[in-house]
DNA sequence: TTGTTAATGGAAACCATATTCAATAAGGAG
DNA sequence: CTCCTTATTGAATATGGTTTCCATTAACAA
């Protein structure tokens, strides 16, 4: 937890407090890990990193904090099909770091890609508007993932 | 399991046998349920339906069969975020039944939509080609889901 | 500083899915 | 049609990520 200049608070404190949540050491540490990692991490990944600095923070707190962060829209929760969820800090959809995922059905390797995002975002904007109107559904975000076989697996594995 | 005219086999038998799998009563019943349901079902949903007709078919067989069907590309497996997977028969991407999902973050209701699919298919064709080339990744399918608040939930629930 | 109440961690509970294993049956060979 | 090999099966049990319980601690408003 980097020391903070007097009276200067991280961007997310307002949103956090605004929903009635308290700022705690554990929560700061957890979000700090997500921000610094800048890639998808499992709850256990996060727990281990936080725990190495603050051994008093338990796995339960990690799960509870992640749940809040997801609901507040501060982080994303992904399912890559290997039985454990992954979490990732939300970036501006227009930002440089925004990406989607390629998932290998065989080895579960996950590749981030940033190409074609502009086209996708453009299409989604249109689709979202149409769907929101038709179903009276307030869309907050979308999930896009491609599945297939990665370079290593496509050679040896023929389906099953 | 409807009686079959002599020598006439369901479309999926060839693919099934081709991969060395045997055709069994349980497997026919399970796939039959998926075909007739024509919507996403959980393993338990499928188990109960099959079990009501063939009490001898166990939940284990349902899971094992679903795993094979997914690997053979005969059904899709979805995660809607409520902790249990859903399965759905694969239809031709150009077919009328092809659809994607709108998921309510609050009540977990899932809405199927078929609108705008053409645009998406078009975009994905381009994206898939580009990604396949760049990452040497053999894409077999994609997942798109929109998250947000449904009509019922958007009024009362403000985030958290 | 104090009081109210959210937050915490460790243990236990949960629950969907996976695995084990002996019994059974699909389907090719004869 | 029958036999034989071996995939498939169900029941019970294990697994493992996530959630809940509950007594204790600490955030922060007054």
């Amino acid at each position: 937890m980097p020391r903070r200049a007097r009276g200067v608070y991280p961007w997310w404190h307002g949103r956090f407090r605004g929903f009635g949540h308290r700022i705690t050491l554990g929560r700061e540490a957890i979000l700090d890990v997500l921000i610094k990692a800048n890639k998808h991490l499992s709850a256990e990944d996060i727990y281990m990193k936080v725990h190495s600095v603050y051994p008093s923070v338990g796995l339960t707190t990690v799960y509870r904090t992640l749940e809040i962060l997801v609901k507040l829209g501060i982080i994303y929760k992904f399912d890559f099909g290997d039985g454990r969820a992954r979490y990732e800090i939300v970036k501006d959809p227009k930002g440089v770091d925004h990406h989607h995922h390629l998932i290998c059905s065989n080895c579960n390797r996950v590749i981030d890609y940033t190409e074609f995002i502009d086209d996708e975002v453009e299409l989604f904007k249109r689709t979202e508007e149409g769907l929101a109107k038709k179903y009276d559904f307030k869309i907050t975000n979308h999930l896009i993932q491609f599945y297939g076989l990665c370079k290593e697996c496509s050679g040896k594995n023929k389906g099953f």
Side-chain angles (χ1 to χ4, degrees), chain A:
Chain A
M1 210 61 10
R3 190 136 207 79
R4 192 157 61 231
R6 273 221 283 177
V8 178
Y9 299 97
W11 57 273
W12 53 273
H13 275 206
R15 163 162 278 237
F16 226 74
R17 300 286 297 114
F19 280 91
H21 298 296
R22 294 174 179 174
I23 309 296
T24 68
L25 189 77
R27 288 171 174 180
E28 292 207 287
I30 290 164
L31 196 40
D32 198 52
V33 165
L34 260 334
I35 291 170
K36 290 217 176 87
N38 196 31
K39 60 175 183 176
H40 52 265
L41 297 173
S42 67
E44 180 107 24
D45 290 338
I46 296 165
Y47 169 69
M48 289 193 297
K49 281 176 186 280
V50 170
H51 194 261
S52 71
V53 183
Y54 298 98
S56 68
V57 176
L59 184 55
T60 303
T61 292
V62 172
Y63 275 108
R64 278 188 290 227
T65 301
L66 291 172
E67 188 185 353
I68 294 171
L69 292 171
V70 168
K71 288 217 176 186
L72 293 188
I74 294 172
I75 63 175
Y76 287 128
K77 180 179 183 178
F78 290 106
D79 167 61
F80 294 151
D82 65 347
R84 75 186 53 188
R86 304 304 160 96
Y87 302 85
E88 196 173 315
I89 194 86
V90 168
K91 292 287 171 55
D92 175 12
K94 289 294 186 192
V96 259
D97 285 329
H98 187 64
H99 62 268
H100 288 156
H101 303 288
L102 278 177
I103 304 162
C104 180
S105 310
N106 189 243
C107 67
N108 283 314
R109 175 200 310 269
V110 177
I111 299 172
D112 296 346
Y113 73 90
T114 55
E115 296 82 4
F116 315 103
I117 295 288
D118 288 348
D119 279 354
E120 289 175 7
V121 169
E122 173 56 28
L123 171 72
F124 287 146
K125 185 157 300 179
R126 274 187 287 132
T127 306
E128 283 182 8
E129 284 167 8
L131 290 174
K133 186 166 298 177
K134 168 138 190 177
Y135 295 101
D136 200 0
F137 197 98
K138 202 158 285 167
I139 293 172
T140 54
N141 63 55
H142 60 253
L143 171 69
I144 201 178
Q145 289 176 171
F146 284 99
Y147 293 89
L149 294 175
C150 72
K151 184 159 39 174
E152 280 70 28
C153 295
S154 66
K156 48 193 172 191
N157 198 293
K158 273 94 170 69
F160 201 15

